[in-house]
Amino acid sequence: MKTRVLGAVAALLMAAAPAIAEYPEKAIQGIIQWGAGGSTDVVMRSITPHAEKLLGGSVVMQNMTGGVGAIALKYVGAQAADGYTLLMGAENPQLYKVMGLGDSDYSDFIPINLIARGVPLLVARPDAPYNSFAELVAYVTAHPNEVKFGSTGPGGLPSVITAMLTSEVALPVIAVPYDGDGPALTALQGGAIDVMPAVLGLAIEGIRAGRLKAIALVDTTPNAALPGLAPIAEAYPAYAKYLPWGPFFGVFVKNGTPDAVVAKLQAAFGEATQNPEFMAMIEGRGFSMLNLSGDDARAFLTNWQKTTAWLVFDAGAAKFSPADFGIERP
Amino acid sequence: MHDKTRRLPGEAAFSLALVVLSLWLTTVAFEISGFEALSAPGSFPMAVTAVMVITSGLIFWRTARLPAAGHIRDWREILPLRVVGMTVMIGLYAAALQPVGFVPTSFLFLTVSIWMLGRTSPFYALGISALSVAGIYIVFRLIFTVLMPEGVVPEREIIAWVQSLFAGAPK
Amino acid sequence: MMESLQYFLISWLDPQLLGLIALGTFAGIYVGAIPGLSVTMAASILISFTFTWDIYPALSLIVGIYMGGVYGGSRTAILLNIPGAPSAIATALDGYPLAQKGEAGEAIGLSTVMSFFGGAVGIAVLAIAAPTVSEFALRFQPRDYMLLAILGILLVGSLSGESLMKGVFAGALGLLIGAVGLDPLTAQERFTFGIIDLWGGISFIAVMIGLFGISEALMQLHHIDKLAIKQAISRIIPSWRAVRKFLPLSLQTSAIGVFIGALPGTGGDIAALMAYDHAKRVTKDPEVPFGHGAREGLVAPEAANNAAVGGAFIPMITLGIPGDAVTAIIIGAMFIHGLNPGPMLMIDRPEMFWFIVGALVAANVFMLIFGLTGIRLFVKIVELPRPVLIPLILLLSIVGAYAVSNRLMDVYWALGFGVFGYFLKLYGYQVGPVILGVILSRLIDENWRRAIISDREDLGGLLWGTLSSPLSAVLLASVILIFVSQTPLWGMAGRGWRRLRG
């Protein structure tokens, strides 16, 4: 009985639909690729309230974790391309193909907004006997297979940075895997590992308090948050060709979503990134604002994928060659 | 309720099934990485499945030698029709959840099972079910914004419509 | 000192903040009681919800939810044998038998008072010794985590019921279930058979809901015609004598709770199970045997899991390292509100520390008040006729399993484990060890591998490292002692000793 009443209401609504058919006419689902409390989660949960206001509808956010984010990607890919399911993700899908984690990446999605990029750096425990990248290289060469590098599994930021570093110098170290950069930085403070490639935002407080020691900024320009720390490209210009590089966060919809819907979402999220509170939060965490959409975003994604996929492949950390998927060597 | 000195109907078969399951999982565990390294992803699964094989084997050996429980002959005492019936019901419920939607399926599931189990009047069952589904819907969907499968009911449109009524302004 | 007190009282003197803490605690009790709704989920929803608020009101609400939620899990564990949250698994072991005897009211009353007590101990340690405890917790190396997890898995001995062999099998099965999915360290597929939906592993909550909720409901169908048990609700607030009797035990298990809570990567669920095991070990002759409604078995985990709340805040506030999933979200919330949680927070913004301590104390008091007042209504749930109650439990189990991550896959897992659990129970296996295995699986696997990688795949090196570190050596000794005391070796050793002497 109840179903019939609801059915009737539904029929009525559908009849009335053309009158109110302006997107969004119902709650939008936002699928966050990583767990509650992580960087992606925090960024998405703080930008969305601003975008909601501009959209004039609500966005219900849910964390869908697992499979290095592949499960969320697959879920959104399986929904209708109507703009009612957003993928709120990080950089990982761009490496799925070469890592053997499925045959989908962001080329199957339309970027609504690439919000921000993280700045990688190398940190060490404070009592480590090296203070710069050159000293680290010298120490590792003198003590092969003794220094413990934290890592977060294949395709994670530490593995890419390590691949980048070893493309120019030999670094015989032990890679100790952790299931996230948070736990790895904790282990670094406890002395379980010696060096860790990390994002600036996550390590900054530890560095300020002297519990972590920054030894190299993996970027082309110095960072305002860490004055005095030389970018690695100064002493080692060979790295400049890979830089600037960093993990990023973005909002996506499935390919085939109507242009009007995409435009509305892009406008809303684009304006939301300019919100002063949000910008303050992003800078406070040591991220660089990107705010890219449309062709710029596409170009960024393609470039990022080329650089990174070949880096990890050349370092022997990938399962398949990027060439198998038509990813050109940069 | 389980008497460890007697063997219940089906107990030997169950413990044998666990042995077979453990053996099969051991082969799967071996295929993950073989004996590649102590730190290989397959090492821990292999150790665990080995424990499963040993313990399930011992359990089967002991169970098989127990005398059968004399007072229980009938399968019904082990697996009453009600249990089978309810299991089928939840199976159907889970299968219908996605295509038909949360509200109608849950309502139907509750009504039928309360009515059948309690042999009460269908109106009593209807009333209780309507109340419970409404309660669960309010807590999960409205307060905690868990999007239950919508199926045939366009819930989000209805909610947006109701909200627009309250907002007072047509969108 | 005066300043600290002033910061401490911020939430107490502002009626709005106090009201938000009360509201949060109240909501938290229900979030905790309903399987599938978790504090983690509620807290992350609150982040967007409180985005435009000031930091104090936002934190007040989240702190309340956290405190109430950890406690609320015990409600459904006692009344229905379905732990509302993982930290209430151990509570079900002796709480549910009490409800079956018609003593649910007393059980809830006792667990409330003990949760309050544990909560207070946790907050006290946070207030007094936070820096010391966090420095100590940081010293835990991968091998120490591994030994701690092995210590945990030895609890199988306490949880296996009629047959140790069946308990060990169930525990190993749990460890295996926990290993399903993409390996978190190498992204290698394990037991996934190429199915992408299995990459994320099997949801632990779905397993818990299946093994406890659904299988229990199916089991109850055997007695569908029996009348519901009348619950005595005359004695809800436990007598002072009872409280005093359990005070030493709850103090010990609170200590376990604070410490396990303060370790990054372990939380209230493991703390509660370890506390249960501890109670079983130190209680020489309980009035009622464990597993049949021993009050010690109720007091120990409840004190421990609420003490773990204060514990989880310790590394968060002193170092900016989350003690568990909820404190991770609080760190996120602080970032959003322009704070920088980290080692400098205590120095830059000392008021935050004392504000959180004050809010936690308030939440703990509200938990006691709400906990002791709403019992009558709650207990009515178990007095519902079974033909109504059982379908409701089943429905709630399915909704709960779905709500965890909005995936139908989890519903199927809950169902599968429900039916499997029915047969396990029928043939004398306990479901407790399975859950224990699932909880500890990743902790053991990952830390074993980190430890052995750090020592360059050299077992001898690992052993040497373990023996030369006092912390690791103590943990290893405890593992050996407990292992030996649970197996026939203990009796043999005792006889040998007597023979030598005599």
Side-chain angles (χ1 to χ4, degrees):
Chain A
M1 218 186 88
K2 196 176 169 190
T3 52
R4 197 171 298 164
V5 173
L6 282 172
V9 171
L12 259 176
L13 276 168
M14 277 164 190
I20 53 163
E22 195 189 332
Y23 176 87
E25 56 179 353
K26 59 180 177 181
I28 301 163
Q29 205 180 357
I31 302 296
I32 301 174
Q33 210 182 20
W34 289 98
S39 301
T40 315
D41 185 63
V42 170
V43 168
M44 293 308 167
R45 283 185 196 273
S46 45
I47 192 173
T48 306
H50 301 303
E52 269 179 330
K53 252 182 251 155
L54 300 162
L55 277 172
S58 65
V59 180
V60 181
M61 281 172 287
Q62 285 149 334
N63 301 91
M64 193 176 280
T65 59
V68 211
I71 293 190
L73 190 84
K74 181 180 170 240
Y75 174 85
V76 179
Q79 306 302 306
D82 55 5
Y84 284 104
T85 318
L86 307 180
L87 177 66
M88 302 178 150
E91 73 283 1
N92 317 69
Q94 292 299 73
L95 290 179
Y96 286 168
K97 287 179 177 168
V98 291
M99 289 295 166
L101 291 174
D103 48 11
S104 183
D105 60 20
Y106 282 139
S107 60
D108 300 328
F109 293 80
I110 303 170
I112 294 297
N113 196 296
L114 298 183
I115 302 168
R117 169 180 82 83
V119 177
L121 81 172
L122 277 184
V123 283
R125 57 189 168 81
D127 50 347
Y130 27 79
N131 294 308
S132 67
F133 184 60
E135 288 174 36
L136 172 71
V137 174
Y139 184 87
V140 169
T141 317
H143 305 84
N145 291 320
E146 264 182 35
V147 175
K148 290 171 213 153
F149 259 53
S151 105
T152 56
L157 172 127
S159 73
V160 177
I161 295 293
T162 311
M164 195 186 288
L165 299 178
T166 48
S167 69
E168 305 295 333
V169 293
L171 276 180
V173 294
I174 308 176
V176 184
Y178 281 83
D179 51 358
D181 41 8
L185 282 176
T186 306
L188 186 61
Q189 295 183 36
I193 50 178
D194 304 308
V195 179
M196 168 83 193
V199 241
L200 178 65
L202 206 58
I204 185 85
E205 285 303 312
I207 297 170
R208 254 180 228 162
R211 290 185 161 268
L212 298 171
K213 180 163 69 179
I215 53 178
L217 191 68
V218 188
D219 210 343
T220 43
T221 49
N223 196 291
L226 276 177
L229 183 65
I232 198 165
E234 268 179 22
Y236 291 78
Y239 290 124
K241 61 176 177 285
Y242 304 114
L243 301 170
W245 183 93
F248 59 87
F249 313 105
V251 179
F252 300 83
V253 290
K254 197 181 166 183
N255 278 352
T257 305
D259 291 342
V261 171
V262 172
K264 188 155 187 190
L265 282 168
Q266 283 176 341
F269 275 93
E271 204 178 324
T273 52
Q274 299 307 308
N275 179 289
E277 281 171 50
F278 179 73
M279 286 177 93
M281 202 281 290
I282 285 289
E283 276 158 27
R285 291 208 81 168
F287 295 117
S288 304
M289 193 67 100
L290 286 175
N291 187 17
L292 296 176
S293 61
D295 290 339
D296 296 343
R298 282 266 188 240
F300 178 91
L301 288 172
T302 316
N303 258 326
W304 195 96
Q305 189 174 38
K306 274 186 202 162
T307 313
T308 320
W310 281 103
L311 258 180
V312 287
F313 177 72
D314 291 340
K319 256 190 192 161
F320 303 106
S321 163
D324 298 353
F325 307 99
I327 303 170
E328 298 161 36
R329 193 179 267 280
Chain B
M1 62 174 290
H2 182 252
D3 176 359
K4 66 184 221 177
T5 59
R6 291 280 181 279
R7 174 160 45 90
L8 289 172
E11 190 167 353
F14 183 72
S15 21
L16 185 63
L18 291 184
V19 176
V20 175
L21 177 80
S22 307
L23 284 171
W24 174 62
L25 288 172
T26 311
T27 61
V28 179
F30 179 76
E31 279 164 16
I32 296 174
S33 61
F35 292 101
E36 185 184 285
L38 284 170
S39 67
S43 306
F44 177 71
M46 279 199 288
V48 168
T49 46
V51 173
M52 284 172 66
V53 169
I54 295 167
T55 47
S56 64
L58 284 169
I59 294 167
F60 174 66
W61 171 248
R62 285 186 195 168
T63 309
R65 291 190 309 167
L66 289 176
H71 60 288
I72 303 177
R73 291 238 159 70
D74 197 346
W75 260 97
R76 294 268 172 80
E77 287 197 38
I78 295 294
L79 203 62
L81 218 54
R82 278 194 296 261
V83 176
V84 182
M86 272 318 275
T87 312
V88 172
M89 281 281 292
I90 9 180
L92 287 176
Y93 173 76
L97 196 58
Q98 188 91 320
V100 185
F102 170 74
V103 174
T105 343
S106 309
F107 181 67
L108 205 69
F109 167 78
L110 273 185
T111 312
V112 173
S113 42
I114 293 176
W115 179 48
M116 302 242 290
L117 285 176
R119 292 172 223 112
T120 50
S121 91
F123 295 105
Y124 172 76
L126 275 175
I128 297 262
S129 313
L131 268 179
S132 320
V133 173
I136 292 178
Y137 189 81
I138 290 171
V139 171
F140 278 83
R141 173 63 184 89
L142 300 184
I143 302 182
F144 286 99
T145 59
V146 174
L147 292 179
M148 308 302 292
E150 296 185 330
V152 294
V153 188
E155 279 171 33
R156 285 192 275 176
E157 278 90 346
I158 297 176
I159 291 175
W161 183 68
V162 171
Q163 277 171 345
S164 73
L165 283 186
F166 281 106
K171 281 210 276 176
Chain C
M1 194 64 218
M2 262 330 276
E3 254 181 354
S4 311
L5 189 68
Q6 199 185 331
Y7 298 143
F8 176 89
L9 288 175
I10 294 173
S11 55
W12 289 78
L13 298 176
D14 183 339
Q16 191 210 350
L17 293 181
L18 209 56
L20 283 172
I21 297 176
L23 181 72
T25 314
F26 186 76
I29 294 178
Y30 289 86
V31 168
I34 301 172
L37 288 187
S38 67
V39 180
T40 320
M41 195 171 120
S44 57
I45 291 171
L46 282 179
I47 285 209
S48 343
F49 184 66
T50 60
F51 185 74
T52 50
W53 299 13
D54 284 336
I55 180 79
Y56 286 151
L59 271 183
S60 299
L61 205 55
I62 296 179
V63 163
I65 293 249
Y66 190 15
M67 207 57 168
V70 170
Y71 157 75
S74 67
R75 285 287 166 96
T76 25
I78 293 171
L79 292 172
L80 303 170
N81 202 12
I82 309 171
S87 55
I89 289 166
T91 313
L93 299 173
D94 276 288
Y96 183 62
L98 279 169
Q100 282 184 310
K101 289 188 209 160
E103 296 169 22
E106 200 197 330
I108 294 182
L110 188 63
S111 71
T112 310
V113 173
M114 288 307 166
S115 294
F116 170 76
F117 183 75
V121 172
I123 300 165
V125 176
L126 169 69
I128 298 163
T132 323
V133 174
S134 59
E135 290 302 330
F136 183 58
L138 261 191
R139 296 226 308 257
F140 269 61
Q141 303 286 312
R143 58 167 181 268
D144 302 316
Y145 276 104
M146 179 189 78
L147 288 167
L148 191 72
I150 293 177
L151 208 56
I153 201 72
L154 290 177
L155 307 188
V156 161
S158 305
L159 300 177
S160 41
E162 60 165 53
S163 150
L164 181 64
M165 202 56 81
K166 288 179 178 174
V168 174
F169 175 81
L173 180 68
L175 290 173
L176 181 97
I177 294 169
V180 173
L182 286 190
D183 167 27
L185 305 185
T186 62
Q188 168 92 29
E189 293 185 47
R190 300 200 287 192
F191 305 101
T192 51
F193 311 103
I195 303 165
I196 295 185
D197 274 310
L198 274 177
W199 281 5
I202 300 174
S203 155
F204 156 52
I205 305 284
V207 178
M208 185 184 89
I209 287 175
L211 287 180
F212 280 88
I214 296 181
S215 77
E216 180 62 33
L218 292 177
M219 217 64 197
Q220 293 271 329
L221 283 170
H222 281 269
H223 322 284
I224 190 114
D225 298 323
K226 255 205 257 163
L227 279 177
I229 303 142
K230 234 10 226 145
Q231 298 289 342
I233 42 171
S234 47
R235 283 174 39 211
I236 284 177
I237 300 176
S239 66
W240 171 240
R241 228 172 48 111
V243 173
R244 210 176 45 195
K245 182 180 164 198
F246 297 123
L247 217 50
L249 176 68
S250 56
L251 195 63
Q252 292 160 17
T253 60
S254 298
I256 297 180
V258 182
F259 191 69
I260 303 278
L263 281 180
T266 54
D269 44 1
I270 297 176
L273 283 161
M274 288 199 151
Y276 182 81
D277 186 62
H278 175 78
K280 216 171 162 178
R281 212 178 298 283
V282 296
T283 311
K284 286 288 173 293
D285 39 359
E287 282 169 38
V288 188
F290 277 91
H292 297 270
R295 284 170 178 69
E296 289 85 354
L298 188 67
V299 166
E302 277 307 300
N305 62 25
N306 278 79
V309 174
F313 273 98
I314 291 177
M316 188 218 107
I317 277 194
T318 52
L319 300 172
I321 294 168
D324 65 355
V326 182
T327 39
I329 294 172
I330 297 181
I331 289 183
M334 289 178 134
F335 272 122
I336 291 179
H337 288 279
L339 291 170
N340 291 314
M344 299 302 281
L345 186 74
M346 292 269 278
I347 299 154
D348 294 344
R349 305 286 295 268
E351 76 274 15
M352 287 315 299
F353 175 76
W354 288 106
F355 171 76
I356 288 182
V357 172
L360 278 168
V361 173
N364 203 30
V365 171
F366 282 123
M367 183 193 83
L368 183 69
I369 296 170
F370 294 137
L372 289 178
T373 45
I375 297 180
R376 273 157 225 271
L377 198 72
F378 250 103
V379 166
K380 282 271 179 291
I381 297 172
V382 241
E383 292 183 356
L384 281 174
R386 286 213 167 92
V388 175
L389 186 60
I390 293 176
L392 269 180
I393 294 181
L394 289 172
L395 181 69
L396 208 59
S397 299
I398 292 181
V399 178
Y402 183 82
V404 177
S405 56
N406 304 286
R407 288 202 292 156
L408 219 48
M409 191 77 183
D410 290 334
V411 172
Y412 297 134
W413 280 120
L415 274 184
F417 278 103
V419 174
F420 184 59
Y422 173 83
F423 284 102
L424 284 180
K425 285 184 177 181
L426 194 66
Y427 295 131
Y429 295 79
Q430 298 293 315
V431 293
V434 184
I435 293 290
L436 183 75
V438 183
I439 295 179
L440 293 172
S441 180
R442 281 184 60 177
L443 204 59
I444 297 185
D445 180 25
E446 290 179 14
N447 285 300
W448 150 250
R449 285 158 64 191
R450 265 172 222 146
I452 195 79
I453 288 175
S454 302
D455 279 306
R456 283 171 264 175
E457 304 279 330
D458 178 7
L459 261 183
L462 181 61
L463 190 66
W464 173 244
T466 308
L467 293 177
S468 52
S469 144
L471 178 62
S472 312
V474 167
L475 282 168
L476 181 66
S478 329
V479 167
I480 294 172
L481 201 69
I482 290 183
F483 181 75
V484 172
S485 73
Q486 273 178 357
T487 47
L489 282 172
W490 186 251
M492 269 147 60
R495 278 194 298 279
W497 176 242
R498 278 192 294 277
R499 203 172 304 139
L500 266 178
R501 289 180 47 150

